[in-house]
Amino acid sequence: MEKTHYTQEINITEALMTRINELISHYPADKKKSALLPVLHEVQDAHDNWLSIELQNKVAEILEIKPIEVYEVVTFYTMFNQRPIGKYMFEFCQTSPCCQRGVEDLMDYTCDKLGVKVGEPTSDKMFEVRGVECLGACGYAPMMQLGDFYQENLTKEKIDQLISDCKEGKITLHDK
């Protein structure tokens, strides 16, 4: 399978670098690597919610670690995106409680509604559907994460409303 190489403009602004340095300051000077996860989150947020190889290399340079140490983390955690993604990422929990409550049907319904397959952004890059591991809200199954927020007790009607609200710009993605 051929892998597409995506490029992006690296824009480490003064404000972003100040924030990165503040995060690094929470750890001993000889343990800068400990700041890797929060730094990756900040850098990803500042770069359209994804991290190119070049941007990952920049993070390694800033933290004075080997690039492979960044790649290992980025490829392990689903919260880090290695390619451009849809603005509204519908991340459906696919573990047992959600599956027992019909999440797979809701994912199919959402994909049909948006005209995409799982893991494929819409042509306008507005939406994407992804299956993820347990989000820890089993009592509210079926559920998904949209940005920083959980959407719980999902139904087709709730999916329709979420899509509509996203299109109308009514959805807040981040709690910052």
Side-chain angles (χ1 to χ4, degrees):
M1 181 164 99
E2 187 177 321
K3 187 167 177 134
T4 303
H5 180 79
Y6 298 97
T7 59
Q8 78 185 138
E9 182 180 336
I10 296 175
N11 188 19
I12 307 292
T13 64
E14 187 176 326
L16 178 57
M17 199 61 218
T18 298
R19 176 68 178 136
I20 290 169
N21 286 327
E22 191 253 321
L23 292 168
I24 292 170
S25 75
H26 295 188
Y27 303 94
D30 63 334
K31 304 285 188 218
K32 288 171 87 170
K33 181 181 177 179
S34 298
L36 181 56
L37 286 173
V39 167
L40 283 170
H41 281 294
E42 290 293 326
V43 171
Q44 180 171 266
D45 287 349
H47 289 84
D48 295 324
N49 204 25
W50 72 285
L51 299 161
S52 65
I53 293 292
E54 294 79 14
L55 192 52
Q56 293 174 55
N57 291 341
K58 184 66 175 174
V59 169
E61 178 186 319
I62 291 167
L63 293 177
E64 299 173 1
I65 60 177
K66 296 177 183 167
I68 189 65
E69 295 175 276
V70 178
Y71 307 158
E72 290 169 339
V73 170
V74 170
T75 58
F76 180 79
Y77 291 106
T78 60
M79 65 192 122
F80 298 118
N81 302 302
Q82 301 171 67
R83 61 170 174 76
I85 62 165
K87 177 180 179 179
Y88 296 103
M89 174 71 75
F90 288 20
E91 295 180 291
F92 287 90
C93 176
Q94 288 190 292
T95 48
S96 297
C98 285
C99 287
Q100 289 175 342
R101 302 280 315 267
V103 78
E104 294 163 315
D105 290 337
L106 289 173
M107 287 178 70
D108 290 343
Y109 176 80
T110 305
C111 286
D112 289 345
K113 215 45 193 168
L114 298 172
V116 296
K117 295 176 183 169
V118 171
E120 174 184 283
T122 55
S123 60
D124 62 3
K125 303 286 190 255
M126 187 162 213
F127 295 98
E128 188 164 331
V129 176
R130 181 182 288 176
V132 297
E133 292 303 316
C134 185
L135 292 169
C138 304
Y140 306 102
M143 59 86 60
M144 71 171 180
Q145 184 169 337
L146 180 55
D148 293 340
F149 303 99
Y150 283 178
Q151 305 296 326
E152 302 164 336
N153 300 303
L154 293 171
T155 62
K156 289 179 180 179
E157 294 75 25
K158 285 185 179 182
I159 297 292
D160 291 342
Q161 188 62 55
L162 284 168
I163 291 170
S164 176
D165 287 350
C166 289
K167 287 180 178 179
E168 294 174 20
K170 294 180 181 177
I171 296 290
T172 300
L173 291 174
H174 302 290
D175 192 20
K176 287 186 183 183

